[in-house]
Amino acid sequence: MLIINAKLPTFNLPIKRVLPKLFQSFVYKAIDEKQEHDGYKHPNGKVFKSMNFKVNYKGNNLLIYYTALNKDHEKKVAKKILFDGLELGKIHISSIEISFKRREVLENFIRIGGFVVAAIKDGKSSKKIFLEPKSEKFQEIVKNHTIQKYEALFNKPYEGEFFLKTIAQKPHPKIFFYEKLPIKAWYGVYDIKASKEMLDLILNTGLGAHSMQGVGFVKVIANNKEK
């Protein structure tokens, strides 16, 4: 996992809603691979991405976590920042610290926390209805989505066990934005039992929908603390 700490030139710039789009564009420029930009298509037609990120912006502090299934992609993004700085639209940031953190799955079980998204279509319109993590439908959708992502990225069926259960959820949702699209997500804590390859996939590509739009990033929880 690549961790990016940056200082913006001024405080509270009105860019919070567009930061996911700007960082996504920066990543695609750094990697410069059409496959990663277009994504990986499942036989059912769904497209999945092999990367994930989370952006925190407060005051003039910008903190970004970026993960990728292919660790060379993390190195490419870090290298571009080191040589060219971090460019988010018209904002060029040179005061940056970067570091790497290894997240290794040692068992077939993890407890994770994060803002994970699952939605269904409103039958009366084209609007999405965002589901709460505690609902059975949410857990069913996220589980199926993750298995399909595995099949698309690894080009093989998933044959191991897969257990996913929401064990906690914060009562109030948070609204994320990607361009003009509002995305509603609740912070949840999840127990997942699966193969190590599947758990690595979740930590490196996120959980749930919109993984390259600023949501789906999860952290491992140990002894009731995230790490």
Side-chain angles (χ1 to χ4, degrees):
M1 175 172 64
L2 175 63
I3 303 172
I4 306 164
N5 274 288
K7 294 285 187 182
L8 270 65
T10 188
F11 285 78
N12 297 317
L13 290 171
I15 59 171
K16 195 167 186 177
R17 290 191 177 190
V18 296
L19 276 174
K21 175 66 173 179
L22 295 177
F23 183 71
Q24 181 201 68
S25 299
F26 178 83
V27 168
Y28 289 149
K29 288 178 182 178
I31 295 172
D32 195 26
E33 292 181 17
K34 189 175 186 298
Q35 176 72 74
E36 296 303 333
H37 188 281
D38 294 341
Y40 298 80
K41 184 175 287 189
H42 189 271
N44 65 10
K46 289 185 180 179
V47 176
F48 299 89
K49 299 299 179 73
S50 68
M51 300 174 285
N52 185 220
F53 66 88
K54 176 183 178 181
V55 178
N56 287 330
Y57 173 48
K58 187 175 182 180
N60 71 330
N61 295 308
L62 181 64
L63 175 62
I64 302 173
Y65 298 96
Y66 167 70
T67 61
L69 192 63
N70 184 343
K71 293 304 168 184
D72 284 340
H73 292 160
E74 295 180 12
K75 295 176 184 176
K76 286 181 180 180
V77 172
K79 185 177 179 180
K80 185 168 181 62
I81 292 172
L82 288 172
F83 282 92
D84 302 327
L86 177 61
E87 189 173 352
L88 301 175
K90 296 181 180 180
I91 303 171
H92 188 89
I93 309 167
S94 56
S95 177
I96 305 169
E97 293 181 359
I98 62 173
S99 60
F100 285 95
K101 182 177 180 180
R102 185 176 180 180
R103 301 204 292 176
E104 185 178 9
V105 176
L106 300 177
E107 301 177 358
N108 285 38
F109 170 85
I110 55 174
R111 175 168 291 178
I112 54 177
F115 288 92
V116 178
V117 174
I120 57 175
K121 288 185 178 180
D122 184 347
K124 299 179 181 180
S125 69
S126 59
K127 292 183 178 180
K128 288 184 177 181
I129 300 174
F130 293 95
L131 303 175
E132 296 190 40
K134 64 185 179 184
S135 70
E136 290 186 8
K137 189 63 176 178
F138 173 98
Q139 294 168 66
E140 176 189 341
I141 289 174
V142 170
K143 180 178 177 180
N144 291 336
H145 181 275
T146 307
I147 291 174
Q148 291 168 4
K149 182 195 285 189
Y150 178 99
E151 294 172 345
L153 268 58
F154 290 114
N155 195 28
K156 64 180 181 180
Y158 180 69
E159 298 178 343
E161 67 173 325
F162 193 108
F163 169 85
L164 183 150
K165 183 175 179 61
T166 304
I167 63 169
Q169 172 197 314
K170 288 191 175 181
H172 303 295
K174 181 177 179 180
I175 304 298
F176 296 82
F177 287 91
Y178 179 79
E179 294 184 323
K180 295 182 179 180
L181 173 67
I183 303 171
K184 183 188 292 186
W186 287 259
Y187 181 89
V189 178
Y190 308 92
D191 280 350
I192 301 180
K193 189 175 183 180
S195 70
K196 292 182 181 179
E197 191 175 40
M198 173 63 89
L199 297 180
D200 278 328
L201 175 82
I202 291 169
L203 290 180
N204 288 311
T205 68
L207 187 68
H210 304 289
S211 64
M212 276 301 282
Q213 296 181 2
V215 292
F217 181 88
V218 292
K219 286 187 175 183
V220 176
I221 298 175
N223 299 322
N224 297 318
K225 294 182 179 180
E226 285 192 335
K227 65 176 183 177

